[in-house]
Amino acid sequence: MITGFRRFAQLLSASLAVGSMLAMANVALSQQIVRERIRPAFPEINFTERQLVGRAAVDRLGARLPEIASWYGTSAEQFRKQLLFDRGMRIDSKGRLFVVEEMEAPLQAVTTGAPQNVVDGLLSPLEQTFQLHSKPGSNRTIYLDFDGAALTGTAWNSGSGTIYAKPFDIDGNAAAFSTAELERIQYIWQRVAEDYAAFDVDVTTQAPTPDRLSRSDANDQIFGTTVLITHNSGVYNCSCGGIAYVGVFNSTTEKYKPALVFYNMLGNGSEKAVAEAASHEAGHNMGLSHDGNASTAYYAGQGTDALTGWAPIMGVGYYKPLVQFSRGEYAGASNKEDDFAVAQSYGLPLRADDYGSSIYAAAPFPGPGGTQDGIIERASDVDVFSISAAAGTFTAALSPAGRSANADLVLTLMNSAGAVLATSNPQNALNAAITYQIPATGTYYIAVRGTGQGDPLATGYTAYGSVGNFRLTAAYTGATGAAPRAVLNTSATSGIAPAAITLDGSQSTDSDGTVSFYYWDFGDGTGDTTGTLKSVTKTYATPGVYTVRLTVVDNSGFRSSATQSISVASAAPVNTVSVQSITLSMKVSRSGVAKVKAVVVVVNQLGQVMSNASVTGTWSGVVTSSKVLKTKRGKVTFNSPGSSASGCFVLTITGISLTGYSFNGAQLPTNQVCR
């Protein structure tokens, strides 16, 4: 349990009292869409040791190591290597994996660029410092807690009572936040928010209600974690920058949260160091392991450029300007895990794409002199915007997040056919700009995407982690004339998969010309770009909600779009019951008579055990008998007649009856035991 201390409301009444409390509490202790993996209960383990490291951890786990490794989604060999190589990895008394980010000495302050909200890098009003949200309304939350906390019942407590964690304090005054501290908090939030911009998660400094962080069961889709930025005094006795449990983000217990970042070990609250540590420790909560190489568990990165020197978030990000999630594409990488896929499997989904990725799904740009903010959510993402421009000079500028950008951006201008007219991707820069002379009135497209640079096996990096916020501005001469009117009619707006829906754009009109082209985006990643189909029939084989977009272009190059949502449901599920297992055991009396007990487990199509199901079991072989018995908590026991003959006792389940369910017994389940 975590209780927050708002310093604005007398967080700590006196430093002497605080010191006393803390002393009492001293404790020694590519990117693909991936569904959350619902893991079984963690294996029951009880060690006497509070923590185990390296060889001691491997030896203590012993025969249980493959089981623990499997729970964490890795092989026994890889898990063993990780424990032996990475001294930061620890096993606690329950067999759980956590990380202590050891340091030889406290980190010196890390320099940063000039002060620069997430996109523009500007400060919000200081009174809003504890009201910052990167994606308000998201079902997932990462709470950056700078306010201090009283921890009870967590794994960090280890039966020691309450831990009183200090608030963030860089000026020695624990009674109030100074202007410098409030600014520092905002800048740290900006950096962490940018690191997690590709995910559907709200990075916030505002204390959420408990239900926004805790998870009741696997059906509860609103949950999160806390990164507590505090002083290590009285919290955890170590020379380390932070500690966190691995793979607990979607856990139904809060015992293994929060993750902890110790600002006093990080350049006395250095903006960059604290932010890098916060993103790193949150990453452990999402199931991510350290990115290292053959010589170290923490890779410090490569390249020396002031803007594009690169490091992985799960390595050491303190010393490089460009820090991204990784899948081990650098030379000698010790960890090849796909960070985005692993985080998704622990319940942190990627954001939905904010803008269309093709010319026929392009979003209208806000006009000449306009500005558009957006997010590149994955390496394959392209955000495309359409403009109606007359002949003249076109200029556009593309900038990444104003502070600690993760995206190296490419800017492209295309004509109405999608042919590239100009592109910009400067070396050793994350931004881009284009100046181009548009030759004639028409529709043009501006495309934004992420990229890599150079050789990732040397000093470069790939496009994998080049995701995040961007701001696009463009100036041009707006075209005159009337745009066509797109009209989209559908034969239905819902159906059962496979659903064949007729999409008709033939009623589209143009007041000062003719409609020349019809472009279709079917909302499932497919479409038609020939421009010739006024109507088309699309079959949706997979259930889901699809947004169909029709874009029409007139003879002057102007365009407009219309959309329609199509809901496709799955056919009504067929409820079935079947035999999950038949377990036989034989007993032979002193007189040589054998009897067999058969325990039968009955489940439905979801694997759930079913009670009150009438099960018909038929014995054959050396005995013959048939009975109908009802399951209790999914189980039923059939006892065979006795026999002294040699041969096999064979039980076959010939039927299961339960109201509302059919018996799934195409191949009748059977098992036998012989003597």
Side-chain angles (χ1 to χ4, degrees):
M1 178 179 178
I2 310 172
T3 302
F5 291 0
R6 303 312 282 174
R7 282 200 289 182
F8 290 118
Q10 286 190 313
L11 173 64
L12 302 173
S13 59
S15 60
L16 289 177
V18 174
S20 175
M21 291 189 294
L22 292 172
M24 293 171 58
N26 188 30
V27 182
L29 288 181
S30 328
Q31 310 115 279
Q32 58 215 9
I33 299 298
V34 179
R35 291 188 177 183
E36 177 189 359
R37 175 187 166 203
I38 303 301
R39 290 164 172 78
F42 195 84
E44 291 189 13
I45 288 180
N46 286 287
F47 297 146
T48 56
E49 300 90 343
R50 294 174 66 180
Q51 59 177 293
L52 294 156
V53 185
R55 172 59 65 182
V58 171
D59 291 346
R60 194 71 172 90
L61 286 173
R64 304 296 298 275
L65 189 146
E67 184 181 7
I68 302 300
S70 176
W71 193 93
Y72 283 107
T74 188
S75 68
E77 180 61 21
Q78 182 62 29
F79 195 64
R80 177 180 173 276
K81 287 182 178 178
Q82 184 181 46
L83 290 173
L84 292 175
F85 180 67
D86 188 345
R87 300 291 296 180
M89 293 295 188
R90 313 289 171 88
I91 295 295
D92 73 2
S93 62
K94 300 296 183 181
R96 288 270 190 174
L97 183 66
F98 70 102
V99 183
V100 177
E101 316 291 0
E102 292 185 320
M103 308 171 71
E104 293 183 1
L107 192 70
Q108 298 300 309
V110 178
T111 59
T112 61
Q116 308 207 345
N117 202 324
V118 172
V119 178
D120 57 24
L122 300 178
L123 286 165
S124 297
L126 294 185
E127 62 270 19
Q128 297 177 12
T129 298
F130 296 105
Q131 301 170 22
L132 303 175
H133 294 264
S134 66
K135 197 176 186 296
S138 174
N139 286 340
R140 305 291 191 271
T141 300
I142 298 174
Y143 170 41
L144 303 182
D145 185 358
F146 295 88
D147 217 11
L151 305 181
T152 57
T154 75
W156 311 125
N157 293 85
S158 298
S160 63
T162 301
I163 293 175
Y164 295 95
K166 292 179 179 180
F168 183 73
D169 176 21
I170 60 176
D171 62 5
N173 179 10
F177 288 113
S178 66
T179 295
E181 288 171 332
L182 294 174
E183 292 177 348
R184 184 76 55 87
I185 289 169
Q186 290 204 28
Y187 292 147
I188 291 169
W189 169 80
Q190 288 181 25
R191 289 170 176 270
V192 180
E194 169 66 2
D195 284 342
Y196 286 89
F199 293 100
D200 186 356
V201 63
D202 182 23
V203 179
T204 181
T205 59
Q206 185 170 21
T209 56
D211 62 296
R212 302 294 304 182
L213 295 174
S214 62
R215 192 181 198 193
S216 57
D217 54 44
N219 295 316
D220 183 359
Q221 291 301 304
I222 300 176
F223 55 88
T225 194
T226 298
V227 179
L228 176 59
I229 294 93
T230 185
H231 196 290
N232 67 345
S233 175
V235 176
Y236 197 88
N237 184 19
C238 70
S239 178
C240 59
I243 51 176
Y245 271 86
V246 178
V248 298
F249 183 67
N250 61 344
S251 173
T252 55
T253 174
E254 294 301 290
K255 179 178 180 180
Y256 301 103
K257 304 173 189 175
L260 303 174
V261 169
F262 302 127
Y263 70 84
N264 60 300
M265 300 296 293
L266 301 169
N268 189 35
S270 163
E271 172 196 326
K272 178 171 173 61
V274 171
E276 298 295 351
S279 292
H280 181 107
E281 302 309 328
H284 284 312
N285 278 185
M286 311 307 168
L288 304 183
S289 299
H290 283 152
D291 288 340
N293 59 16
S295 59
T296 178
Y298 298 86
Y299 186 53
Q302 56 199 35
T304 59
D305 185 76
L307 293 176
T308 59
W310 180 90
I313 287 174
M314 298 311 297
V316 178
Y318 302 140
Y319 311 113
K320 299 296 180 183
L322 181 59
V323 186
Q324 301 175 335
F325 285 110
S326 165
R327 59 181 176 189
E329 295 172 298
Y330 54 89
S334 62
N335 180 10
K336 299 285 189 177
E337 72 183 3
D338 183 331
D339 284 356
F340 289 107
V342 172
Q344 289 175 79
S345 76
Y346 281 93
L348 187 66
L350 293 178
R351 283 187 187 238
D353 193 8
D354 50 0
Y355 299 109
S357 295
S358 64
I359 62 172
Y360 60 85
F365 190 74
T371 298
Q372 184 71 66
D373 292 343
I375 295 174
I376 299 298
E377 298 92 4
R378 49 192 62 81
S380 60
D381 184 28
V382 182
D383 286 351
V384 183
F385 305 92
S386 65
I387 63 171
S388 295
T393 302
F394 167 89
T395 61
L398 178 62
S399 302
R403 206 167 196 83
S404 190
N406 284 41
D408 184 347
L409 299 170
V410 179
L411 178 62
T412 302
L413 177 68
M414 298 176 287
N415 65 16
S416 59
V420 173
L421 302 176
T423 190
S424 174
N425 177 29
Q427 183 76 6
N428 290 328
L430 305 181
N431 61 345
I434 285 175
T435 298
Y436 183 80
Q437 290 299 123
I438 289 180
T441 296
T443 297
Y444 296 84
Y445 302 95
I446 312 170
V448 178
R449 64 180 176 86
T451 188
Q453 177 177 285
D455 183 358
L457 298 178
T459 61
Y461 49 90
T462 71
Y464 172 82
S466 198
V467 297
N469 289 278
F470 68 82
R471 172 163 290 175
L472 172 65
T473 60
Y476 53 91
T477 302
T480 58
R485 175 174 173 263
V487 178
L488 172 57
N489 295 309
T490 63
S491 60
T493 57
S494 62
I496 302 298
I501 309 293
T502 298
L503 311 171
D504 183 12
S506 63
Q507 300 303 307
S508 301
T509 59
D510 183 44
S511 63
D512 61 353
T514 59
V515 177
S516 301
F517 302 100
Y518 301 79
Y519 298 113
W520 294 96
D521 177 1
F522 300 137
D524 64 347
T526 67
D528 181 84
T529 58
T530 65
T532 61
L533 299 179
K534 293 184 179 181
S535 65
V536 62
T537 298
K538 168 66 178 176
T539 298
Y540 293 96
T542 304
V545 178
Y546 303 92
T547 299
V548 177
R549 181 188 297 271
L550 166 66
T551 300
V552 296
V553 182
D554 68 13
N555 57 310
S556 298
F558 295 109
R559 68 173 44 220
S560 68
S561 298
T563 61
Q564 176 63 57
S565 180
I566 305 293
S567 298
V568 180
S570 58
V574 177
N575 293 323
T576 62
V577 285
S578 60
V579 173
Q580 184 184 66
S581 62
I582 302 174
T583 304
L584 303 178
S585 59
M586 177 187 290
K587 285 188 177 181
V588 181
S589 68
R590 291 182 178 179
S591 62
V593 175
K595 292 183 178 181
V596 175
K597 181 174 76 171
V599 178
V600 180
V601 178
V602 175
V603 297
N604 66 7
Q605 75 277 8
L606 302 177
Q608 300 166 324
V609 296
M610 304 300 291
S611 296
N612 297 316
S614 297
V615 183
T616 302
T618 301
W619 291 100
S620 59
V622 296
V623 296
T624 57
S625 174
S626 183
K627 278 189 176 182
V628 178
L629 301 173
K630 283 196 172 184
T631 59
K632 293 182 180 180
R633 293 186 292 277
K635 294 182 179 180
V636 64
T637 301
F638 289 94
N639 294 302
S640 75
S643 175
S644 57
S646 298
C648 297
F649 292 74
V650 182
L651 177 67
T652 302
I653 304 303
T654 58
I656 303 177
S657 177
L658 182 63
T659 301
Y661 292 81
S662 60
F663 174 42
N664 181 11
Q667 294 180 335
L668 294 179
T670 185
N671 199 2
Q672 66 179 21
V673 62
C674 303
R675 61 177 296 189

